[in-house]
Amino acid sequence: MKTMSDTLRTTFRRVLRLENRRAAPRPGRIEKIDAFTSTVRGNTRELTIYLPPGYDDRSDRRYPVLYMHDGQNLFEAHRSFVPGQYWRVQEAADAAIAERAASPMIIVGIDHAGPARIDEYTPTRDAKHNGGGLAHEHAKMLIEEIKPMIDERYRTLGDREHTAVAGSSLGGLDTMWLALKHPEVFGGAAVMSPSVWWDGQVILREVEAFSGEKPRVWLDIGGREGNEAMQGARALRKSLAAKGWDEERLSYYEDRRADHSERAWASRIRLPLEFLFPPS
């Protein structure tokens, strides 16, 4: 005969099983475009597409899209710049969506172009670094080649309010530049640890010259990235605020213990996902 304590233990185990099921978010899934060839850039790269949980359950729902730089570092440990260190973007998106902290979104990871990465992610040529200045071509590839293909293949919400871009380091610099130069395309930007120092802080001059509809901007920096990086991020924040970005359009975050690494960006990528794609 079961005692009251036996019944309570059984009930407790049942509750634990239910809690464990709730704790494991329903996963999205990954698709690959192995060899996307750009006519604009004359090169080939891999694209990784994250489709959120529930994407295959119904055929009438459309989703916002986040385009991310440095696709090699986002989803797979074995492809990352530092082996074993990657952004865990799928895990972050799955958790944010499961907890209803973010609306489901499609994420497109765009591989960088190897040795051409510095050139593609910078808007001007920097004589000090003997390179750069192909961000215009990279933007054309993204806007005229990649985005139309993604909008055709997947159920996207293709307007500016539902389209965002993200990146870190030089990818963060290019993200900010894209949002300033093409606000008609990108309504949001996650600017993580941006290389504000490039070409005498040229990005601050771009902010000063900006006159379009303001995108939402997530801006962050790590406290262990060095004084130049910290001061650059703070200067960018100040420039955006002076140009009229308010708290609704600009979120700034300093992670005091974070360095300049894939591990650091992995630890906080969920925050810009929730800022750019708030639950509807």
Side-chain angles (χ1 to χ4, degrees):
M1 179 182 294
K2 280 190 176 183
T3 65
M4 180 63 73
S5 59
D6 290 332
T7 303
L8 287 173
R9 277 195 291 270
T10 301
T11 302
F12 182 65
R13 290 192 194 102
R14 209 172 279 148
V15 169
L16 276 179
R17 284 197 296 271
L18 287 171
E19 287 299 321
N20 287 335
R21 281 182 205 151
R22 291 192 194 106
R26 183 182 178 191
R29 66 180 176 88
I30 297 295
E31 288 192 356
K32 293 288 189 86
I33 298 175
D34 293 324
F36 165 76
T37 300
S38 169
T39 301
V40 172
R41 288 294 299 124
N43 54 29
T44 299
R45 69 194 73 207
E46 186 171 300
L47 306 181
T48 307
I49 297 92
Y50 165 84
L51 300 174
Y55 182 87
D56 298 311
D57 295 347
R58 47 188 289 189
S59 60
D60 60 338
R61 182 170 183 176
R62 293 185 171 273
Y63 298 86
V65 184
L66 176 64
Y67 294 92
M68 296 190 70
H69 297 311
D70 290 315
Q72 293 99 325
N73 299 331
L74 305 180
F75 297 100
E76 300 162 296
H78 69 279
R79 297 185 66 226
S80 185
F81 174 70
V82 178
Q85 287 191 34
Y86 69 110
W87 287 40
R88 302 179 181 272
V89 171
Q90 179 174 359
E91 292 88 335
D94 284 348
I97 293 167
E99 294 170 23
R100 299 186 179 181
S103 293
M105 79 294 290
I106 293 171
I107 302 174
V108 181
I110 305 167
D111 280 16
H112 64 68
R117 178 183 183 271
I118 293 176
D119 294 330
E120 287 192 348
Y121 286 177
T122 51
T124 56
R125 182 168 180 80
D126 188 337
K128 183 179 178 181
H129 295 88
N130 193 31
L134 295 183
H136 300 79
E137 289 189 9
H138 186 264
K140 188 173 183 180
M141 175 190 72
L142 176 52
I143 294 168
E144 297 183 8
E145 295 181 324
I146 295 178
K147 185 178 185 300
M149 177 183 64
I150 295 298
D151 287 340
E152 181 179 354
R153 290 194 183 194
Y154 301 98
R155 300 194 311 277
T156 67
L157 293 167
D159 61 296
R160 74 174 298 275
E161 290 300 324
H162 296 95
T163 304
V165 61
S168 66
S169 195
L170 284 176
L173 172 69
D174 189 44
T175 293
M176 188 72 254
W177 183 85
L178 280 165
L180 294 170
K181 287 296 185 180
H182 298 281
E184 78 285 357
V185 177
F186 302 108
V191 182
M192 304 180 73
S193 303
S195 300
V196 176
W197 50 263
W198 181 265
D199 192 16
Q201 298 188 325
V202 65
I203 195 64
L204 302 185
R205 299 193 290 277
E206 295 287 1
V207 173
E208 179 60 31
F210 180 77
S211 61
E213 186 176 357
K214 294 178 178 64
R216 301 183 78 222
V217 176
W218 167 275
L219 173 61
D220 69 26
I221 194 68
R224 296 180 179 176
E225 295 190 50
N227 185 63
E228 183 179 39
M230 178 69 77
Q231 294 307 316
R234 289 175 176 175
L236 179 54
R237 176 198 187 187
K238 183 177 179 180
S239 294
L240 290 166
K243 200 65 179 179
W245 265 263
D246 56 21
E247 291 184 359
E248 182 182 349
R249 292 261 162 204
L250 174 62
S251 182
Y252 179 72
Y253 177 63
E254 291 184 2
D255 187 347
R256 292 290 183 170
R257 301 180 65 182
D259 59 8
H260 196 83
S261 68
E262 316 305 327
R263 183 186 294 113
W265 299 317
S267 72
R268 63 181 188 262
I269 182 57
R270 178 172 165 174
L271 299 175
L273 293 181
E274 294 176 0
F275 175 74
L276 294 174
F277 305 102
S280 56

